[in-house]
Amino acid sequence: MNFMATKPPSTPTAPPVVRPARDDGGSVVLERRTQRTQPPKMHQVVMLNDDYTPMEFVIVMLQEFFAKDRETATQIMLKIHLDGKGVCGVYSRDVAATKVEQVLDAAAKAGHPLQCVSEPVE
């Protein structure tokens, strides 16, 4: 019984090295230019003040959707209350739109008229 191969495996041969022909000086070489893309335009999420949404609810929204600690959330809530609006965070356009939708959905489910908008940062 012969289970082994009858002849040893052959070693693969390396492909021949092709050297480019000598340049006679008439060639044109193009330089590669790196393309720079602009960073995405940032958008700020702004909460608007109203007379019906409880301050505590605004603080919870800032903590839950914008990852603010209690003290920072309270400061932003007071700015919203006193100035009529306050910036909750600055994000790319898609992330800012998602944050606005999350806040509006949560406010609607809780029965509060809280308004939140996204606007480009200047």
Side-chain angles (χ1 to χ4, degrees):
M1 287 175 64
N2 192 359
F3 293 109
M4 303 292 280
T6 55
K7 58 182 179 177
S10 61
T11 57
T13 59
V17 177
V18 179
R19 297 189 188 258
R22 296 215 24 106
D23 186 13
D24 62 357
S27 298
V28 176
V29 178
L30 295 177
E31 292 184 24
R32 176 174 285 185
R33 293 184 188 162
T34 57
Q35 293 182 342
R36 295 197 177 244
T37 58
Q38 296 294 326
K41 297 215 187 259
M42 302 303 280
H43 285 66
Q44 59 189 8
V45 178
V46 179
M47 270 193 204
L48 306 176
N49 186 38
D50 63 68
D51 295 333
Y52 303 102
T53 304
M55 292 179 179
E56 188 62 33
F57 182 78
V58 174
I59 292 172
V60 170
M61 293 294 99
L62 290 166
Q63 289 177 315
E64 185 173 336
F65 297 117
F66 300 98
K68 303 294 184 188
D69 60 78
R70 180 91 177 159
E71 183 177 335
T72 305
T74 304
Q75 289 173 354
I76 294 171
M77 179 274 302
L78 287 173
K79 179 153 180 61
I80 294 167
H81 181 70
L82 296 174
D83 297 345
K85 64 180 181 177
V87 177
C88 305
V90 178
Y91 307 95
S92 65
R93 184 184 67 192
D94 295 336
V95 174
T98 302
K99 299 272 186 195
V100 168
E101 288 300 318
Q102 289 174 331
V103 170
L104 294 177
D105 288 345
K109 286 179 184 173
H112 298 301
L114 180 64
Q115 291 299 305
C116 189
V117 295
S118 171
E119 53 190 41
V121 176
E122 297 168 6

